[in-house]
Amino acid sequence: MSINQNTANSAASAKTASFAQSLTAIVLGLFVVGFVGFSHVEAVHNAAHDTRHANAFPCH
């Protein structure tokens, strides 16, 4: 394998890893919004609500 092939493989691997990280962040964000934000379980919803207020993030 030549140096150019190693460089190309490293760039492709880094791009794939970056895509996987982005996809994981999107899925986690959708889970948090979908489950915690709209949860009918009061304890879960209130914990998220209190955390938003503790971080000075408006939610109303």
Side-chain angles (χ1 to χ4, degrees), residues 6-20:
N6 285 338
T7 303
N9 288 341
S10 294
S13 178
K15 193 172 189 177
T16 302
S18 177
F19 177 75

Side-chain angles (χ1 to χ4, degrees), residues 39-47:
S39 178
H40 294 288
V41 179
E42 257 188 79
V44 174
H45 182 80
N46 288 341

